[in-house]
Amino acid sequence: MMEKYILSLDQGTSSSRAIVFDAAGKVCSVAQHEFPQIFPRSGWVEHDPHHIWSSQASVIAEAISEININGKNIAAIGITNQRETTIVWDAETGEPVYNAIVWQDRRTSELCDRLRGDGLEDWIRQKTGLIVDAYFSATKIKWILDNVQGARKKAEDGKLRFGTVDSWLVWKLTRGEVHVTDVTNASRTMLFNIHTMQWDEELLGLFGIPVSMMPEVKSSSEIYGYTTTTIFAHRVPIAGIAGDQQAALFGQMCVEPGAVKNTYGTGCFLLMNTGDRPIFSSNRLLTTVAWQLDGKVSYALEGSIFVAGSVVQWLRDGLKCISSSADVEELASSVPDTGGVYFVPALTGLGAPYWNQYARGVISGISRGTTAAHIARAALEGVAFQVYDIVKAMERDSQLPITELKVDGGASANNLLMQFQSDILRTKVLRPCVTETTALGAAYLAGLAVGFWENVPQIRSQWAVEREFLPELSGGYVPGLISGWHDAVARVLREYDEIP
Ligand SMILES: Nc1ncnc2c1ncn2[C@@H]1O[C@H](COP(=O)(O)OP(=O)(O)O)[C@@H](O)[C@H]1O
Ligand SMILES: O=P(O)(O)OC[C@H](O)CO
């Protein structure tokens, strides 16, 4: 067979990646480019949609040339992406009318306060499974229509298109032929009804968003279209799309209800497969679509943490105490503990289960003896403590103890972080051989659509563990650590009590 590979595009918040997988699910080549983050004001985060596309296009070219293959050798393309990030472009010229407003951006927090003040929170939650928060796309689209000159009129005339990053990439790959998204990305917009699996007209009306802007919603595994970009001499089918966290859930083969994974990327996202019914959380977790495959919808419970690996980027770029993200482990390991320092890394607000849009980071317990190493260690511990809070919330919601955690994402390479995670959770932390599970999940979804893989049981056997972390710290220390963390969070919540 000529078509020996699946090409997966993983457009993350920090970087664009292209990964070529073979039928054994083995990584054959990887190319990755970090691209610029734009911070126009405190709490605002943007990307240039052209950078998103150009970085993605160049890594595609690199990944396929590295192993000397071309479009003919690729059975299908799978796309996975940072979710919620909002791009609006002109249907005719394809030119974005504004920068991409990134999921971390807090500019619409006050609008969300007003929606809650109007008593709409439960109504929105029932339809979408989401907490009203600036995180999701709906208020970001409204902001663009309200603030970019001429945008609303053009939208009403049917001349603008909205997309999350998956839609933008498909549009670019097909040179404007195809405007689609999949159910997982749609479920993060706060405009999608997760019961009817359609755009919700009442929500579109509430935010003043014309339906003509919206992409057609498809399943996570089917042929959406064929590439026309000059990167490939042949038209390659685009056959899988899923938001990165759902793709990671699939890539980790968490296909049975109760299975859980946690991805440590820019943010940190813990998802539990809940099978064919949406479970509504009593602990402020999100209900979301896991995927739609072979006509069947699966749902998930999700705990979203806004800042994880990005606090390491801040240590690197803001504080300049490390020169690469990977260096944080050596720096943090140079001290035995944080010396009493706690770091609540709420640099762009606090997500689940606190949902405070105005929170900002706090470092507490600094003394004359505190060094950059203590702060680096406290930053990593702050990531693990946030995950601890979500695990406990999820256990309460699902009434199931979480006895093992499958991990992935860039920061899961950090052994100190993984060990501390196991120490405070008192559970097994399992890191798979392929930590590119996000890309792998999208590859699986694409491959299943074109018959590259036959079915889920066939690919399930490919999952293998690389390293298992078991609790090493004596359990007696844990309650003190956790209560210190909760004191630090309480300080943040007191300081930033939802009033900007
Ligand atoms: N060894 C490491 N320790 C801690 N954080 C790391 C390490 N390597 C990468 N990171 C962090 O992981 C993030 C990148 O992970 P990735 O999964 O590629 O994220 P995304 O998909 O959000 O772009 C960055 O924020 C980076 O700072
Ligand atoms: O870019 P990541 O991997 O941090 O993921 C971002 C999430 O999709 C945001 O919801």
Side-chain angles (χ1 to χ4, degrees):
M1 177 170 72
M2 287 283 290
E3 295 150 352
K4 284 203 263 176
Y5 303 100
I6 299 284
L7 172 65
S8 195
L9 314 185
D10 179 0
Q11 206 303 301
T13 316
S14 309
S15 69
S16 296
R17 272 194 294 265
I19 303 186
V20 178
F21 292 97
D22 66 12
K26 192 172 111 319
V27 174
C28 300
S29 77
V30 186
Q32 173 169 10
H33 283 188
E34 261 199 39
F35 60 89
Q37 308 288 315
I38 304 166
F39 306 113
R41 293 190 200 175
S42 168
W44 290 30
V45 189
E46 297 179 0
H47 292 157
D48 179 339
H50 295 300
H51 284 153
I52 291 180
W53 168 243
S54 60
S55 58
Q56 194 64 68
S58 55
V59 290
I60 294 173
E62 275 175 38
I64 60 178
S65 72
E66 189 184 313
I67 51 169
N68 214 8
I69 60 169
N70 60 42
K72 260 192 190 162
N73 309 114
I74 298 169
I77 294 175
I79 295 178
T80 181
N81 55 289
Q82 52 167 320
R83 306 165 302 166
E84 300 95 14
T85 297
T86 296
I87 307 176
V88 175
W89 65 91
D90 185 298
E92 209 172 300
T93 63
E95 196 52 35
V97 302
Y98 190 76
N99 271 343
I101 303 185
V102 176
W103 57 277
Q104 294 172 313
D105 191 290
R106 313 270 85 205
R107 79 186 64 187
T108 57
S109 298
E110 282 177 46
L111 170 58
C112 294
D113 288 346
R114 285 203 293 280
L115 293 169
R116 274 196 298 273
D118 292 344
L120 295 173
E121 186 158 40
D122 282 348
W123 180 71
I124 292 177
R125 184 131 191 254
Q126 283 305 320
K127 285 172 179 281
T128 64
L130 306 177
I131 302 268
V132 171
D133 191 272
Y135 178 22
F136 305 105
S137 317
T139 59
K140 299 181 197 290
I141 307 174
K142 179 171 162 49
W143 188 93
I144 291 176
L145 296 187
D146 290 345
N147 290 280
V148 175
Q149 207 184 6
R152 182 161 293 285
K153 168 87 172 70
K154 270 186 151 183
E156 281 161 6
D157 292 345
K159 293 183 176 158
L160 293 187
R161 298 288 175 265
F162 151 74
T164 37
V165 170
D166 55 313
S167 304
W168 174 242
L169 293 181
V170 174
W171 178 274
K172 296 301 277 183
L173 286 165
T174 62
R175 293 211 270 197
E177 272 178 19
V178 181
H179 184 218
V180 295
T181 189
D182 89 303
V183 288
T184 66
N185 278 293
S187 76
R188 313 299 295 188
T189 57
M190 221 162 76
L191 296 167
F192 187 69
N193 189 311
I194 61 169
H195 309 284
T196 63
M197 301 299 280
Q198 285 174 345
W199 297 124
D200 191 284
E201 282 181 20
E202 290 177 323
L203 289 173
L204 289 170
L206 175 71
F207 292 102
I209 298 170
V211 72
S212 57
M213 289 181 76
M214 304 305 286
E216 192 181 345
V217 185
K218 301 281 199 172
S219 78
S220 316
S221 177
E222 64 180 275
I223 296 178
Y224 313 99
Y226 294 80
T227 59
T228 55
T229 149
T230 48
I231 306 173
F232 306 103
H234 306 270
R235 301 195 77 189
V236 184
I238 305 165
I241 302 179
D244 55 7
Q245 304 311 322
Q246 287 90 336
L249 191 70
F250 197 68
Q252 289 272 26
M253 284 286 106
C254 293
V255 290
E256 298 295 340
V260 178
K261 72 87 203 178
N262 191 32
T263 301
Y264 300 77
T266 308
C268 214
F269 301 87
L270 200 133
L271 270 73
M272 175 187 273
N273 184 327
T274 63
D276 58 7
R277 68 193 175 95
I279 292 184
F280 282 83
S281 166
S282 314
N283 296 286
R284 315 204 77 206
L285 301 180
L286 306 176
T287 307
T288 202
V289 177
W291 48 75
Q292 183 182 2
L293 187 59
D294 295 334
K296 216 179 121 233
V297 177
S298 296
Y299 292 89
L301 261 181
E302 170 173 325
S304 325
I305 294 167
F306 295 152
V307 175
S310 54
V311 74
V312 177
Q313 285 176 307
W314 177 75
L315 293 173
R316 184 192 66 187
D317 306 334
L319 224 50
K320 301 197 187 317
C321 63
I322 46 174
S323 53
S324 81
S325 292
D327 292 347
V328 73
E329 184 165 353
E330 198 184 333
L331 178 63
S333 303
S334 68
V335 286
D337 54 44
T338 67
V341 174
Y342 280 91
F343 189 164
V344 184
L347 311 186
T348 51
L350 270 179
Y354 302 106
W355 295 105
N356 184 318
Q357 309 185 96
Y358 302 112
R360 293 293 178 267
V362 164
I363 303 176
S364 67
I366 299 175
S367 69
R368 280 296 296 270
T370 301
T371 64
H374 294 106
I375 292 183
R377 195 171 180 115
L380 292 178
E381 292 192 0
V383 172
F385 283 129
Q386 294 182 97
V387 173
Y388 172 93
D389 285 335
I390 304 265
V391 166
K392 294 300 149 193
M394 207 167 265
E395 286 183 333
R396 287 196 294 276
D397 275 333
S398 64
Q399 306 272 302
L400 294 170
I402 294 175
T403 53
E404 61 175 42
L405 190 63
K406 288 179 168 177
V407 299
D408 54 55
S412 74
N414 191 308
N415 294 325
L416 182 74
L417 173 60
M418 294 302 103
Q419 184 57 53
F420 187 72
Q421 192 71 80
S422 173
D423 285 339
I424 57 169
L425 283 174
R426 318 306 293 167
T427 60
K428 226 190 271 179
V429 168
L430 300 174
R431 189 168 63 196
C433 294
V434 179
T435 47
E436 297 285 4
T437 46
T438 300
L440 183 60
Y444 282 156
L445 290 165
L448 286 168
V450 296
F452 187 80
W453 289 293
E454 266 169 41
N455 50 35
V456 171
Q458 188 200 0
I459 51 185
R460 214 173 163 172
S461 59
Q462 295 183 352
W463 190 90
V465 68
E466 176 258 336
R467 182 158 167 190
E468 190 173 292
F469 296 85
L470 295 167
E472 281 176 0
L473 182 76
S474 161
Y477 289 110
V478 176
L481 288 169
I482 301 295
S483 78
W485 163 253
H486 285 147
D487 286 348
V489 171
R491 194 173 290 195
V492 171
L493 296 175
R494 265 198 314 275
E495 180 85 7
Y496 302 97
D497 59 352
E498 297 280 330
I499 298 164

